[in-house]
Amino acid sequence: MTTLIEAKDLRKKFGAIKAVNGINLNVSAGEVLGFLGPNGAGKSTTMRMLTGFLEADSGTVQLAGVALDTDPLEARRRMGYLPEGAPAYPDMRVRDFLMFIAQARGFMGSEARHRVEQVIERIHLGQVLGQTIETLSKGFKRRVGLAQAILHDPPVLILDEPTDGLDPNQKHEVRNLISEMGASQGKAIVLSTHILEEVEAVCTRAVIINKGKVVVDETPARLVARAPEESGGSALDAVFRSVTSGDLEEAGQ
Amino acid sequence: MRRIGIVFRREFSGYFATPLAAIFLVVFLFLSSMFAFNIGGFFDRGQADLRPFFQFHPWLYLFLVPAISMRLWAEERRTGTIELIATLPLTMQDLVLGKFFAAWAFSGLALLLTVPMWWTVSFLGEPDHGVIVCSYLASWLTAGAFLAIGSAISSLTKNQVVAFVLCAAVCFLLLLSGFSVVLDFFRSWAPNMVVEGLSAIGVLTHFDSMVRGVIDLRDVLYFASLIVAFLMINTAVIDWRKAA
């Protein structure tokens, strides 16, 4: 399988705090990588470095074979990004916003309209097309963010909390969409989440980071298998707690 | 160019998505004509020209331009959309220039709407049309310089009020340094070089000579270099502190 995301030894300091302290990630075509970790572990910072929004202090990123630091525009063309909180221009109407993104992505005229129509159908945005983004519910806002990220059908997708704020039905729908894009369209997808069941539902791989370092990198099934026998409730919760609260050794096989 | 155009279109239509555009245009038209008629003595002078109209423009821009420029970047930071546009296949120059030209075009639109003043003097007398064209250019260049300053300042903060106040302060200093009262104050004791220097960086020195109807390349270069310099600062600031 081809490696579509290749991050080597990413590091980032904010003042004296080492937010990301040497992260390596290789994500292949068809993989859906669930990115987990407690708040402040460096998830968003890592994703921002993968997309080039933040410059890493050291380390390199390649997206679909293009180095982010030598050819940033070409690398960005091959990537779709849903930033944390799904930011969008509040005064713009949904259709105008998606048209703007399509044009900024280099699609012109009827091609741009066609792309927008396609994504609207795919994400079911038809009923809110004429509304301004500030009037949308949190769920629709998130879906608009997802729509702009996949509009150009990129090989690489970076999604920061794509299902946050969605109701159970919408969550189910978005998860199906993500699984499909990974499995049948062969995209490399990195998504961050706080919902551990989501990792089991859509991800082919789970990476847990803590204090800026990768502490777990394996399949969700094996992650569940690591759970201590006596743990009540969710097995994943127990693993997550044990690896991110310092007793890493006890949790390992 | 195409990419700048895309940013330009989004920004320019953005002005009309809120009441901002309408309020700005009405306030600008109302104040500029009020100043011309009531303070500038448009009718009392008995001359068919637009001097009393244009001479107050830099002072109007002092608080109207920061009102446009304050949101240019501060808003992108506050709503987080900067993360969206900075990861699109657009360069920082595309974004900075697209935003600036949209704001400048908007201020140009405000100026265009004052053309009835021109008709009025043409109806009342025989004005020197060359001087009026020159004055329009001077006014638009002044707005452009202030907008570039405001855009650079807006990129430093996510607080629009801070951006407004700082921009107004910097523009005020630039205006003051060419104001005859200030220059006279320095003339009494400072060496001639200081006075000349202050007058050279002052907006009013260049604005006044253009409003008189003289297009001097140095005046145009003065405004152009202010615009270029502050847009370069703007680009550098955004590049360094995208997240901030």
Side-chain angles (χ1 to χ4, degrees):
Chain A
M1 270 191 295
T2 35
T3 306
L4 290 180
I5 304 175
E6 199 177 346
K8 277 201 193 113
D9 199 30
L10 288 181
R11 285 168 197 275
K12 183 79 188 174
K13 272 208 269 189
F14 294 115
I17 304 157
K18 288 178 180 163
V20 173
N21 193 13
I23 282 191
N24 292 291
L25 269 187
N26 287 307
V27 189
S28 307
E31 267 193 307
V32 180
L33 187 148
F35 208 39
L36 300 158
N39 285 328
K43 291 194 301 285
S44 285
T45 305
T46 305
M47 294 180 114
R48 284 174 167 180
M49 288 192 288
L50 290 179
T51 58
F53 178 63
L54 275 183
E55 220 164 295
D57 293 342
S58 68
T60 57
V61 175
Q62 291 223 341
L63 299 175
V66 180
L68 198 54
D69 53 349
T70 54
D71 194 353
L73 287 198
E74 188 50 41
R76 286 185 218 156
R77 274 183 204 115
R78 298 175 184 210
M79 162 212 76
Y81 178 37
L82 171 68
E84 191 180 8
Y89 293 103
D91 297 327
M92 283 184 105
R93 292 175 198 287
V94 174
R95 183 193 288 278
D96 297 339
F97 175 71
L98 292 175
M99 273 305 278
F100 163 66
I101 298 287
Q103 286 164 348
R105 289 264 175 216
F107 300 113
M108 317 253 264
S110 62
E111 169 75 2
R113 272 193 300 279
H114 177 66
R115 290 272 171 177
V116 170
E117 295 302 331
Q118 244 181 353
V119 85
I120 284 166
E121 198 161 312
R122 201 138 174 228
I123 314 273
H124 307 297
L125 288 171
Q127 64 187 99
V128 295
L129 279 184
Q131 268 176 256
T132 56
I133 287 166
E134 64 189 340
T135 63
L136 297 181
S137 67
K138 208 175 166 194
F140 266 118
K141 222 188 132 201
R142 185 78 31 162
R143 281 150 79 179
V144 170
L146 198 61
Q148 64 78 23
I150 65 171
L151 182 137
H152 55 301
D153 196 22
V156 172
L157 271 180
I158 316 272
L159 310 172
D160 204 342
E161 304 194 348
T163 59
D164 186 42
L166 301 186
D167 68 34
N169 295 336
Q170 295 166 339
K171 269 186 190 149
H172 180 73
E173 200 177 291
V174 168
R175 283 174 193 166
N176 282 348
L177 183 74
I178 291 172
S179 303
E180 183 206 320
M181 288 191 297
S184 52
Q185 296 175 24
K187 297 185 192 304
I189 303 173
V190 174
L191 66 93
S192 74
T193 179
H194 280 298
I195 310 160
L196 297 172
E197 49 163 288
E198 189 158 292
V199 176
E200 273 190 281
V202 295
C203 298
T204 59
R205 192 171 147 199
V207 167
I208 302 182
I209 65 167
N210 192 29
K211 298 189 180 116
K213 284 191 157 159
V214 174
V215 291
V216 168
D217 182 353
E218 56 194 12
T219 63
R222 289 187 55 189
L223 196 60
V224 175
R226 281 169 74 150
E229 292 287 320
E230 70 279 15
S231 68
S234 162
L236 270 176
D237 277 350
V239 179
F240 182 83
R241 269 198 306 277
S242 70
V243 295
T244 56
S245 55
D247 348 297
L248 180 57
E249 272 67 42
E250 285 80 7
Q253 294 100 324
Chain B
M1 266 318 277
R2 198 188 70 84
R3 297 191 308 237
I4 296 174
I6 289 160
V7 178
F8 175 91
R9 274 202 303 279
R10 199 210 74 76
E11 290 286 325
F12 192 75
S13 58
Y15 288 104
F16 300 92
T18 63
L20 177 76
I23 291 172
F24 180 89
L25 294 175
V26 168
V27 169
F28 179 77
L29 291 179
F30 175 75
L31 286 181
S32 61
S33 38
M34 192 193 80
F35 275 126
F37 291 118
N38 295 349
I39 305 173
F42 180 71
F43 288 120
D44 305 336
R45 296 169 80 236
Q47 285 181 36
D49 67 7
L50 285 178
R51 276 291 284 285
F53 170 67
F54 283 110
Q55 76 188 47
F56 295 106
H57 280 196
W59 303 97
L60 271 178
Y61 289 144
L62 194 55
F63 64 95
L64 285 179
V65 162
I68 302 182
S69 68
M70 65 180 188
R71 47 172 285 285
L72 284 178
W73 290 98
E75 174 115 321
E76 300 271 359
R77 286 197 195 283
R78 196 181 53 80
T79 59
T81 42
I82 187 163
E83 193 162 352
L84 190 78
I85 51 171
T87 52
L88 286 173
L90 304 169
T91 64
M92 278 302 149
Q93 282 98 310
D94 297 336
L95 296 170
V96 168
L97 290 177
K99 276 172 175 285
F100 170 74
F101 283 128
W104 204 18
F106 182 68
S107 77
L109 176 69
L111 267 180
L112 266 184
L113 293 176
T114 67
V115 163
M117 289 292 288
W118 193 352
W119 295 338
T120 310
V121 282
S122 306
F123 177 74
L124 293 173
E126 305 252 304
D128 183 334
H129 293 292
V131 172
I132 293 178
V133 170
C134 224
S135 303
Y136 268 112
L137 185 65
S139 177
W140 195 44
L141 283 170
T142 306
F146 284 9
L147 279 170
I149 293 168
S151 182
I153 288 173
S154 176
S155 68
L156 286 164
T157 174
K158 64 170 89 173
N159 186 325
Q160 298 195 25
V161 179
V162 170
F164 180 95
V165 173
L166 278 181
C167 174
V170 171
C171 294
F172 188 53
L173 286 177
L174 268 183
L175 267 187
L176 272 190
S177 62
F179 201 40
S180 53
V181 178
V182 178
L183 290 180
D184 288 343
F185 169 76
F186 280 98
R187 200 165 278 137
S188 58
W189 54 271
N192 215 22
M193 247 175 59
V194 174
V195 180
E196 297 275 304
L198 273 175
S199 149
I201 63 159
V203 167
L204 284 181
T205 318
H206 302 277
F207 178 80
D208 284 341
S209 81
M210 283 185 79
V211 167
R212 256 182 252 120
V214 191
I215 292 209
D216 187 331
L217 190 62
R218 278 173 303 179
D219 295 328
V220 177
L221 271 180
Y222 164 80
F223 287 112
S225 47
L226 264 186
I227 291 172
V228 171
F230 276 95
L231 290 183
M232 281 168 73
I233 293 173
N234 188 349
T235 312
V237 168
I238 296 286
D239 249 337
W240 287 333
R241 305 176 55 223
K242 271 184 255 181

